């Protein structure tokens, strides 16, 4: 289970509740972040803040995992 937070520092953070650890810090605002929303399939996050910016954050975890898996498979084929 994970939790998103935002605040006066302009940062958006993703926390793992079980371990109480910050997994990711996203820095795209220069002032307070007031709003967060997830896309329906949870692959994008939108943040809005006092700096009059709306930032769309795309989750690349699935892409990175797929690339890592392919690299491992390619390395096995080369051995």
């Amino acid at each position: 289970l994970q939790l998103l937070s935002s605040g006066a520092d302009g940062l958006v953070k993703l926390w793992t509740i079980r371990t109480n650890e910050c997994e990711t810090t996203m820095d795209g605002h220069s002032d307070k972040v007031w709003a967060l929303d997830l896309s329906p399939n949870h692959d994008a996050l939108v943040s809005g803040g006092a700096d009059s910016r709306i930032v769309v954050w795309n989750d690349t975890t699935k892409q990175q995992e797929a690339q890592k898996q392919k690299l491992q498979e390619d390395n096995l084929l080369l051995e």
Side-chain angles (χ1 to χ4, degrees), residues 6-37:
S6 63
D9 57 4
L11 301 175
V12 176
K13 295 185 177 191
L14 176 66
W15 300 85
T16 297
I17 293 174
R18 185 178 54 81
T19 61
N20 217 23
E21 292 181 19
C22 179
E23 299 294 330
T24 303
T25 299
M26 296 167 269
D27 186 5
H29 289 277
S30 60
D31 204 348
K32 300 173 188 89
V33 178
W34 288 338
L36 297 173
D37 196 16

Side-chain angles (χ1 to χ4, degrees), residues 46 49 65:
V46 178
E65 288 298 318

Side-chain angles (χ1 to χ4, degrees), residues 2-3 21 23-24 29 37 41 44 48 52 62-63 66 79:
Q2 293 182 312
L3 172 78
E21 292 181 19
E23 299 294 330
T24 303
H29 289 277
D37 196 16
N41 59 358
S52 301
K62 291 178 187 174
Q63 295 169 346
E79 291 178 355

Side-chain angles (χ1 to χ4, degrees), residues 4 12 26 36-39 43-47 55-58:
L4 286 164
V12 176
M26 296 167 269
L36 297 173
D37 196 16
L38 283 172
S39 65
D43 66 350
L45 166 70
V46 178
S47 60
V55 181
V56 178
W57 309 90
N58 293 307

Side-chain angles (χ1 to χ4, degrees), residues 73-79:
E73 290 171 359
D74 288 350
N75 286 339
L76 285 175
L77 292 174
L78 293 175
E79 291 178 355

